Amino acid sequence: AAYPNPFNPSTTLEIAVPEAGYVSVQVYNLMGQVVATLAEGQMAANTYQFTWNAGDMASGMYFVRVETGTNSAIQKLMLLK
């Protein structure tokens, strides 16, 4: 879950990794381009927080995609400046 959402200029994402393994947390724009990589690599089972500072990005909608092992989730983010 990301909070706050809508946000300006930063938001915090909290993810739970149920078992150790590869984790990827990336932010995409509406064109499907990766605009930020918040995490990528092996992580232990735990709960993690990541902050995305979008101060240099344009206002609009973004998507954050979290991949953990065989699971993946997508959440909409709204940047309002």
Side-chain angles (χ1 to χ4, degrees), residues 19-64:
E19 57 188 43
Y22 176 80
V23 176
S24 173
V25 181
Q26 294 183 313
V27 181
Y28 295 84
N29 62 16
L30 289 176
M31 303 292 289
Q33 301 164 317
V34 176
V35 296
T37 299
L38 305 179
E40 192 163 25
Q42 296 294 320
M43 291 187 178
N46 205 342
T47 300
Y48 296 92
Q49 285 189 345
F50 303 99
T51 299
W52 180 43
N53 186 336
D56 59 342
M57 304 301 293
S59 292
M61 190 179 302
Y62 294 88
F63 296 95
V64 62

